[in-house]
Amino acid sequence: MTPMTGELCLNFISMRPLELPDDDFRRLAAEVVELSAEYLSTLDTRSTFPATSGVEAEKLFATEPPEHGLGAAAFATLRDVMDRGRAQNGRFFGYVQGPGEPIAALGDLFTSILNQNMTAWRSSPSGVTIERTVVRWLAEAVGCAGFSGTLTGGGSSANLMGLAMAREAKSPGNERGLWGAQPGVVYASEEVHMAVPKAVAMLGIGRNQLRYIPCDDAYCMLPAELERAIREDKAAGRTPMAVVASAGTVNTGAIDPLPAIAEIAHANKLWLHVDGAYGAIAAMAVPGKFQGLASVDSLSLDPHKWLYQPLDCGCLLYRDLDNARKTFMYTGSYAKQLSTDPIEGFAFFEESMELSRRCRALKLWLSLRYHGLESFRAAIHRDLNHAQRLASAVDASPMLERLAPVELSAVCFRHLANADASEPERNAFNLALLKRIIRRGKVYMSNAELKGRFCLRACIVNHMTKESDIDAIVPEVLQAARVVTAELR
Ligand SMILES: *Cc1c(COP(=O)(O)O)cnc(C)c1O
């Protein structure tokens, strides 16, 4: 270790470790706000392809921790973090991801300053009240008024919690307070998101206890096949436990037939969880597409997807609070409630998975109050219209083939390569094409595989997208295809 200089020693005496004078905070915060504003105003001109290689990124950011603080100089690298990243602007159509709404980002900054813990009302009277409020707003917005719930890190943990509740409520042998030797069976469509098998495995239900139910041509679960699988399991002496329906599959945005599935789940006394991480929030704009949502037991949705919130903000809603408490209440003496007041004695940790949690609600509350529900509904409608516009452009292009109906805002299509290309040739061509499109940095798309066919997938949950951005997609795909074709010759 290097010995301290006299000056540093003096600083140590006069200042507490980690002390930050008010004026320094103001100056540095202003710098961050300035950089943020610069980013937002230049976002549209930035490339959707990372402006850095893996090696460059390591050189810049995989540094050793300094023994002595850099002070304000530490902030200088924020520009690199910004410039060397990848821009999620109005032409970013990958995954289920948009740019993030900036008012909410300001809420996030303030959240970290207040640093309140969402364990219980007593640890954050304002934050916990705001979280309970936005959970109610979300439930009402999607037609599930009266549901309780909690904000989560995302759809994955919301799905995990939903299935934990299903196991608590429906696992064979559970009436005796034990999960039986043989776990129950879970049903989901073959298009279900990977978060569901992961949750099934993590909960110890067992990978072989998950049935993948076949879909129709629109990638929706076939209720008759669900019924058949349940019947077969029962005949073999196994115990059906839960159905997971998708309200917006990640690949194509297909919505499983919720009323028919709910009827089957109900008749067989199964838990019905809906994975709405991608799509369910759109129920606030197009409720007709989501009939039956109010009849489910639990529902996951992701404000960080189709409510434009910065990461992270997921949500689990559930109908039966008692079951949530049975699943999640393991109160240790160190966490004992001191208040019996119905409001002040409230504890999130008795109704959800995590204990210490960031206040994800403040950004959402601020963003919803700033813009109003009407603006969010309008933004969702715009995304839906943009997806239809893209679908029409794809359909109008003889070299492109659309591979799925556009139920929500995901558009799956491929380039035919040439008129008599084989399926493996088309798959290889479209993989090369996607890589090329991404590299060119003008639009960003991800991929899906539908019935063995590799396709380009544009998912539009993006409040920055303009019609001209949508109109740029097909010409860009065709241009990139010409480049790929030329390279293959
Ligand atoms: C994104 C997604 C998930 C996972 O949610 P995270 O927020 O990424 O954890 C689960 N299901 C579907 C349908 C999704 O689109």
Side-chain angles (χ1 to χ4, degrees), residues 100-111 303 307-311 313 358-368 370-371 376:
E101 196 283 303
I103 294 291
L106 294 176
D108 249 350
L109 170 64
F110 200 57
T111 293
L307 214 51
Y308 313 99
Q309 297 298 298
L311 294 160
C313 191
R358 159 183 196 76
C359 183
R360 300 183 176 104
L362 184 61
K363 65 177 161 200
L364 183 52
W365 192 66
L366 198 62
S367 173
L368 286 168
Y370 184 91
H371 293 289
F376 285 92

Side-chain angles (χ1 to χ4, degrees), residues 108-390:
D108 249 350
L109 170 64
F110 200 57
T111 293
S112 291
I113 293 295
L114 297 181
N115 193 37
Q116 306 233 315
N117 199 329
M118 294 301 107
T119 58
W121 190 92
R122 67 177 173 206
S123 59
S124 179
S126 52
V128 164
T129 307
I130 288 170
E131 179 162 339
R132 295 183 79 183
T133 302
V134 294
V135 165
R136 173 169 62 80
W137 288 0
L138 288 171
E140 287 168 2
V142 300
C144 292
F147 279 43
S148 310
T150 179
L151 298 184
T152 68
S156 299
S157 37
N159 285 337
L160 180 69
M161 284 171 59
L163 281 168
M165 289 172 67
R167 182 178 61 177
E168 193 70 37
K170 304 288 185 184
S171 196
N174 205 27
E175 37 318 331
R176 299 186 307 280
L178 305 159
W179 295 316
Q182 169 231 54
V185 182
V186 179
Y187 304 83
S189 95
E190 55 195 8
E191 285 291 311
V192 75
H193 190 276
M194 64 184 180
V196 169
K198 192 189 255 189
V200 166
M202 284 170 64
L203 287 166
I205 295 168
R207 289 161 213 251
N208 56 353
Q209 296 294 99
L210 176 61
R211 304 279 174 273
Y212 290 100
I213 308 300
C215 290
D216 63 16
D217 288 343
Y219 303 98
C220 300
M221 189 196 287
L222 284 162
E225 293 290 329
L226 171 64
E227 231 167 358
R228 192 160 69 97
I230 293 171
R231 221 171 28 241
E232 281 175 11
D233 277 318
K234 281 186 171 172
R238 290 182 287 264
T239 311
M241 183 168 85
V243 184
V244 179
S246 300
T249 60
V250 68
N251 275 342
T252 70
I255 301 170
D256 287 339
L258 300 177
I261 291 172
E263 210 178 299
I264 295 166
H266 192 78
N268 289 279
K269 298 192 169 56
L270 309 187
W271 186 272
L272 176 54
H273 175 75
V274 167
D275 179 2
Y278 163 21
I281 282 171
M284 70 188 274
V286 280
K289 285 183 185 284
F290 295 87
Q291 306 244 333
L293 211 50
S295 65
V296 308
D297 294 299
S298 54
L299 164 67
S300 58
L301 41 146
D302 262 352
H304 67 213
K305 286 179 173 171
W306 219 345
L307 214 51
Y308 313 99
Q309 297 298 298
L311 294 160
D312 56 16
C313 191
C315 179
L316 178 74
L317 298 174
Y318 41 75
R319 168 193 305 287
D320 179 10
L321 186 55
D322 283 345
N323 191 262
R325 296 176 144 258
K326 260 192 226 145
T327 310
F328 299 115
M329 193 146 91
Y330 289 83
T331 304
S333 58
Y334 41 82
K336 203 163 180 56
Q337 281 302 329
L338 305 175
S339 170
T340 51
D341 183 277
I343 298 172
E344 298 182 12
F346 177 82
F348 265 120
F349 62 79
E350 293 178 338
E351 304 178 4
S352 67
M353 184 170 68
E354 290 175 307
L355 178 59
S356 294
R357 288 185 311 132
R358 159 183 196 76
C359 183
R360 300 183 176 104
L362 184 61
K363 65 177 161 200
L364 183 52
W365 192 66
L366 198 62
S367 173
L368 286 168
R369 279 165 51 94
Y370 184 91
H371 293 289
L373 289 176
E374 180 186 50
S375 297
F376 285 92
R377 267 189 228 108
I380 293 168
H381 275 294
R382 237 167 85 94
D383 289 332
L384 292 165
N385 291 338
H386 281 158
Q388 292 301 331
R389 189 180 177 90
L390 173 58

